[in-house]
């Protein structure tokens, strides 16, 4: 990493230079965090982004863009997002510690790399991630659900605050119990959820596209 910029506000290019990644990657991470979203010809800050230091700007041609408080360079959520995508050993160690509490995470480690840089746990999840990526749908993998309980989703689409769960081991009694608990929590907090199973994976393009459209997410 380079030394932090001395300016009080910085743009995606400066953030990228600091972390030695492209501005495109920076905006991808920020959108996965739900801090920015695509606007007319540029990026628009969400309320969550504003809380994390975003300042909405407009270019002379009317296109929106965002500058950030330089404190974003030490923001723990952004740091984790970047480290996770780069396969950082600290993040992997932290995840392994969490996984020790979850038999399924231990049994199915996230070691399959997707085209957009996520590491997933199964071929089905790889297909889901690839579908979202190819259709230009910004998404995050295994994001913590914003509830009091400690629960992680399979995929999260920040633009519509939609979560995706792939139920791949329904014949397993422990997994079925875990699935039931998660479904109850999604229902308890009235969270938008897309559920997929093995039958959906066999016809993923049609099934997932249909489910996404129900949440006003455009496909293709």
């Amino acid at each position: 990493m380079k030394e932090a910029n001395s300016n009080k506000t910085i743009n995606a290019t400066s953030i990228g230079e600091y972390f030695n990644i492209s501005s495109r990657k920076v905006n991808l991470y920020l959108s996965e965090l739900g801090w920015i979203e695509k606007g007319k010809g540029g990026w628009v800050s969400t309320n969550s982004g504003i809380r994390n230091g975003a300042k909405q700007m407009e270019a002379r041609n009317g296109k929106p863009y965002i500058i950030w408080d330089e404190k974003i360079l030490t923001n723990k959520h952004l740091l984790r997002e970047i480290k996770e995508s780069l396969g950082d050993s600290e993040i992997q160690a932290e995840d392994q510690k969490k996984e020790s509490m979850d038999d399924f995470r231990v049994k199915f480690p996230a070691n399959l790399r997707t085209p957009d840089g996520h590491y997933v746990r199964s071929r089905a999840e790889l297909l889901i991630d690839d579908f979202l990526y190819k259709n230009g749908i910004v998404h995050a993998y295994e994001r913590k659900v914003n509830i009091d309980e400690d629960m992680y989703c399979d995929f999260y689409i920040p633009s519509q605050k939609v979560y995706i769960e792939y139920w791949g081991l329904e014949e397993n009694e422990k997994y079925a119990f875990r699935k039931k608990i998660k479904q109850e929590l999604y229902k308890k907090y009235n969270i938008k959820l897309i559920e997929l199973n093995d039958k959906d994976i066999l016809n993923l393009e049609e099934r997932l596209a249909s489910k996404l459209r129900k949440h006003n997410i455009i496909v293709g």
Side-chain angles (χ1 to χ4, degrees), residues 81-185:
E81 192 77 20
I82 294 172
K83 288 180 178 181
E84 189 176 68
S85 71
L86 298 176
D88 186 270
S89 58
E90 290 181 15
I91 295 297
Q92 291 174 346
E94 182 181 335
D95 288 342
Q96 286 171 2
K97 185 176 180 181
K98 290 179 181 177
E99 287 171 3
S100 66
M101 304 295 291
D102 189 330
D103 290 342
F104 297 100
R105 286 172 174 261
V106 173
K107 190 173 182 180
F108 301 100
N111 55 16
L112 296 175
R113 193 176 191 278
T114 67
D116 62 351
H118 292 130
Y119 284 86
V120 299
R121 301 177 186 279
S122 68
R123 179 178 176 277
E125 289 186 340
L126 192 151
L127 292 172
I128 295 167
D129 191 284
D130 193 45
F131 176 89
L132 297 172
Y133 175 62
K134 286 182 176 178
N135 283 280
I137 300 170
V138 174
H139 60 283
Y141 178 68
E142 290 199 343
R143 175 74 64 232
K144 186 181 185 305
V145 181
N146 189 25
I147 59 177
D148 295 335
E149 292 82 355
D150 189 25
M151 182 173 81
Y152 287 77
C153 65
D154 287 336
F155 296 92
Y156 174 59
I157 301 175
S159 63
Q160 297 295 332
K161 295 182 173 61
V162 173
Y163 293 83
I164 298 176
E165 290 285 355
Y166 163 63
W167 310 119
L169 295 169
E170 295 182 278
E171 72 284 353
N172 182 291
E173 187 176 340
K174 288 184 178 180
Y175 184 89
F177 179 71
R178 179 172 175 265
K179 171 187 173 182
K180 182 181 179 182
I181 291 175
K182 294 184 77 173
Q183 286 176 320
E184 289 174 350
L185 288 173

Side-chain angles (χ1 to χ4, degrees), residues 182-191 193:
K182 294 184 77 173
Q183 286 176 320
E184 289 174 350
L185 288 173
Y186 280 117
K187 185 176 181 179
K188 174 183 176 181
Y189 290 98
N190 195 30
I191 294 172
L193 173 66

